[in-house]
Amino acid sequence: MTSFFAPAFIAVFVGCGVAVLAFVPFVAVSFRRRGGMTFWRTVSWFAAAIYAMALWTYTLVPFPQPSEVECSPLQLRPFQFVDDILGFDTSSISALMSNPAVLQATLNVVLFAPLGWFIRQLAGRGVVIATISGLVVSGFIEFTQLSGIWGVYECAYRVFDVDDLMMNTLGALLGSLAALLFVRRGKDGPDASVPRPVTATRRFIGIVCDIVISWVGSWFVIIGTLFFTMFRGDGEIAEPGDAVMNIAFLLPFLAQLVSVLSGGVTLGERLVLIGSAQTHLPVAISRPLRFLFGIGGYMLLTQWPFPGSGLILTMLIVTTFIMVFTTRSHRGLACAVARVEIVDTRAERRDAQAARRR
């Protein structure tokens, strides 16, 4: 793998991991601050996560071995890149396009242009904030290089260049200006307190959140246990035993069970502001059914497989997704079996407030 594509691969891989870990908090914040999620805003945040990793990989990676570090000098003369450009062939456009100094300056601008774009699109800030952000982020990266990653290395393993600081800041400025052509900067966002319909997309997001919670919750327990045993012991990572795997399953399982039994909805549904309005069966019957034909059944079948469990799990998943798009109010399989109606929790609060006024 070339030195150019290796940082890109790392950025995409790590960025996707960060996006998965941040998905549940992102959904919770989006529904409470903006009332919901939009496709393009979600894609933009996903791209921003990958871009943040790209800034790190292209400016700091690869990390040299401490014994192989050669101390790099400081370049503190502004506009030194102009002399560097003139030191190569500048007799034609094609020569300039292949000029290493031109390419270096251009890449520094291009690397930070998305930062200015994201500052306007996602944070709703203008040119001044984008430019200052570019200066601050670039300065942090340059001083990280200068300090040998804050003392990890004895000296700087990359050149501290004031021209890089200038070109990076210019890139953030140009990215913000370019966003002016495509992104409207509104002062007032959508009213998150207004009730909205329970759509199939919203139900799907809630289901994905439930699955992510079960996976990520289990992996947090496993990884936390591995680190604990590594630091407590001789530094070697031991394979997790059956007890750790059982705990990793039980914690998210019990959290979902308590959520359904206490409120009639899963954790993922709480995140997307879905509530249980009423049931046509006694609560003591409907809520266990709601759990077993939903996230509870999914988790049990994945944890303790038996002959034919794969087919049952497949049927459960397929039927659930089909019924989310076809049942009344997009209730899905679990709600249909438990005969539970679901609503927007904001509508519940509004109706409760109206009842109190009467």
Side-chain angles (χ1 to χ4, degrees), residues 22-80:
F23 180 74
V24 169
F26 174 73
V27 170
V29 171
S30 296
F31 273 86
R32 281 151 184 80
R33 288 189 177 181
R34 303 180 62 85
M37 295 170 59
T38 61
F39 174 77
W40 287 114
R41 189 172 181 83
T42 303
V43 170
S44 296
W45 275 107
F46 180 75
I50 295 178
Y51 170 71
M53 294 301 103
L55 279 181
W56 171 66
T57 56
Y58 275 103
T59 54
L60 298 176
V61 175
F63 301 119
Q65 294 295 327
S67 59
E68 300 175 353
V69 172
E70 296 182 2
C71 296
S72 300
L74 279 67
Q75 200 299 100
L76 301 177
R77 180 188 172 191
F79 301 104
Q80 175 62 39

Side-chain angles (χ1 to χ4, degrees), residues 301 304-313:
L301 289 171
W304 290 299
F306 55 86
S309 63
L311 177 60
I312 297 174
L313 178 61

Side-chain angles (χ1 to χ4, degrees), residues 31-340:
F31 273 86
R32 281 151 184 80
R33 288 189 177 181
R34 303 180 62 85
M37 295 170 59
T38 61
F39 174 77
W40 287 114
R41 189 172 181 83
T42 303
V43 170
S44 296
W45 275 107
F46 180 75
I50 295 178
Y51 170 71
M53 294 301 103
L55 279 181
W56 171 66
T57 56
Y58 275 103
T59 54
L60 298 176
V61 175
F63 301 119
Q65 294 295 327
S67 59
E68 300 175 353
V69 172
E70 296 182 2
C71 296
S72 300
L74 279 67
Q75 200 299 100
L76 301 177
R77 180 188 172 191
F79 301 104
Q80 175 62 39
F81 72 92
V82 176
D83 291 339
D84 295 339
I85 291 173
L86 296 177
F88 295 93
D89 184 10
T90 58
S91 59
S92 64
I93 295 178
S94 60
L96 285 173
M97 292 179 63
S98 59
N99 189 312
V102 171
L103 293 176
Q104 177 68 27
T106 302
L107 287 175
N108 281 329
V109 173
V110 171
L111 183 62
F112 270 71
L115 177 62
W117 177 283
F118 288 131
I119 290 292
R120 176 172 290 276
Q121 182 186 22
L122 299 178
R125 302 297 180 177
V127 174
V128 175
I129 297 299
T131 304
I132 294 174
S133 298
L135 177 63
V136 171
V137 173
S138 179
F140 178 78
I141 291 172
E142 292 294 326
F143 279 102
T144 299
Q145 295 173 340
L146 177 63
S147 64
I149 313 184
W150 308 104
V152 174
Y153 299 102
E154 294 183 355
C155 59
Y157 67 95
R158 290 196 176 191
V159 176
F160 177 93
D161 194 335
V162 70
D163 284 344
D164 289 351
L165 196 63
M166 295 164 50
M167 292 297 101
N168 293 341
T169 304
L170 176 62
L173 169 62
L174 295 178
S176 180
L177 292 174
L180 281 171
L181 302 176
F182 302 96
V183 180
R184 291 185 178 181
R185 183 185 172 194
K187 294 185 179 295
D188 297 325
D191 187 353
S193 64
V194 175
R196 302 187 182 187
V198 178
T199 62
T201 301
R202 188 166 163 190
R203 291 282 287 117
F204 177 76
I205 294 172
I207 292 172
V208 173
C209 284
D210 283 326
I211 295 174
V212 171
I213 289 171
S214 66
W215 289 351
V216 174
S218 296
W219 278 108
F220 266 126
V221 173
I222 294 171
I223 294 173
T225 304
L226 292 179
F227 273 102
F228 176 76
T229 56
M230 181 180 66
F231 286 115
R232 188 188 64 177
D234 55 3
E236 295 184 358
I237 298 178
E239 183 177 351
D242 292 339
V244 173
M245 299 303 294
N246 289 334
I247 293 173
F249 165 76
L250 283 174
L251 286 181
F253 180 84
L254 291 176
Q256 291 283 14
L257 178 62
V258 170
S259 178
V260 174
L261 294 183
S262 63
V265 290
T266 65
L267 295 175
E269 289 166 339
R270 291 178 187 271
L271 292 174
V272 297
L273 303 181
I274 289 177
S276 176
Q278 59 180 338
T279 177
H280 303 285
L281 293 174
V283 171
I285 297 175
S286 67
R287 290 185 177 179
L289 287 175
R290 172 87 169 83
F291 181 71
L292 290 175
F293 281 86
I295 187 62
Y298 166 83
M299 296 181 71
L300 288 171
L301 289 171
T302 54
Q303 176 68 15
W304 290 299
F306 55 86
S309 63
L311 177 60
I312 297 174
L313 178 61
T314 301
M315 294 176 60
L316 176 65
I317 294 173
V318 172
T319 304
T320 296
F321 281 104
I322 291 175
M323 294 187 68
V324 161
F325 288 90
T326 57
T327 52
R328 183 179 70 254
S329 301
H330 307 288
R331 294 185 302 166
L333 173 64
C335 290
V337 171
R339 302 185 66 186
V340 171

